[in-house]
């Protein structure tokens, strides 16, 4: 099943409206070329993308290459220090709970994803982490 995704611009600029869908299109195509599946199908116009309908797993995946933010506070690490190899963290997307950091076992307990899905999510997150630095500053 497919669905249209309409992106609204903050203003009337036609250049800005055009970039609202061109930038995500470029990133999705780059990821797909690197073997990362996405929900992107095609850009329909300057304001519309066609995407596959997906089921959202309520887990935020964070890949850390540098100590920052909550990681520095939680563990008393120095902000800006590199992390090699990168680490993957999971956060339960639940506003009422404040999106807490969770472990693999919590994800299984809550039946948010299977162990096999977690392995695939981590693999894809690390693949994205290898691709994006080539296009993002």
């Amino acid at each position: 099943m497919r669905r249209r995704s309409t992106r609204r611009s903050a203003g009337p600029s036609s250049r800005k409206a055009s970039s609202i869908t061109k930038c995500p299109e470029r990133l999705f195509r780059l990821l797909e070329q690197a073997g990362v599946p996405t929900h992107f199908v095609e850009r329909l116009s300057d304001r519309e993308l066609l995407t596959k309908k997906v089921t959202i797993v309520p887990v935020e995946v964070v890949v850390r290459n540098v100590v920052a933010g909550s990681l520095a506070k939680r563990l008393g690490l120095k902000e800006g220090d590199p992390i090699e190899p990168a680490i993957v963290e999971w956060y339960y997307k639940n506003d009422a709970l404040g999106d807490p950091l969770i472990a693999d076992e919590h994800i299984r307990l809550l039946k948010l994803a299977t162990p096999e899905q977690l392995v695939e999510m981590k693999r894809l997150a690390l693949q994205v982490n290898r691709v994006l630095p080539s296009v993002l500053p």
Side-chain angles (χ1 to χ4, degrees):
M1 177 177 271
R2 295 180 177 183
R3 70 176 221 142
R4 277 189 157 173
S5 175
T6 303
R7 306 209 33 138
R8 300 191 187 278
S9 74
S13 166
S14 63
R15 183 187 305 184
K16 186 174 188 176
S18 175
S19 69
I20 285 174
T21 55
K22 283 185 179 177
C23 182
E25 175 188 24
R26 181 172 178 246
L27 288 174
F28 288 136
R29 290 194 189 285
L30 181 70
L31 290 170
E32 288 170 352
Q33 289 169 1
V36 178
T38 74
H39 66 306
F40 177 76
V41 176
E42 67 179 305
R43 186 169 66 88
L44 299 174
S45 71
D46 286 347
R47 294 179 181 267
E48 293 181 301
L49 298 175
L50 184 63
T51 61
K52 299 173 194 166
K53 186 174 182 174
V54 297
T55 301
I56 302 296
V57 176
V59 176
E60 179 180 355
V61 182
V62 175
V63 179
R64 295 192 184 265
N65 298 298
V66 175
V67 174
S70 63
L71 180 65
K73 290 175 189 168
R74 272 194 326 269
L75 301 179
L77 299 172
K78 182 180 170 211
E79 292 242 1
D81 280 353
I83 300 172
E84 293 180 24
I87 61 171
V88 177
E89 296 179 331
W90 312 107
Y91 291 86
Y92 182 28
K93 294 304 294 172
N94 184 309
D95 291 340
L97 299 175
D99 299 342
L101 174 68
I102 57 177
D104 295 17
E105 292 79 10
H106 299 130
I107 295 170
R108 286 194 288 272
L109 173 69
L110 295 168
K111 296 182 170 77
L112 302 175
T114 66
E116 296 79 20
Q117 288 170 321
L118 280 178
V119 167
E120 182 67 358
M121 289 166 63
K122 183 175 182 178
R123 184 188 73 76
L124 290 171
L126 291 170
Q127 179 69 11
V128 169
N129 189 58
R130 285 188 286 277
V131 173
L132 289 185
S134 68
V135 294
L136 298 176

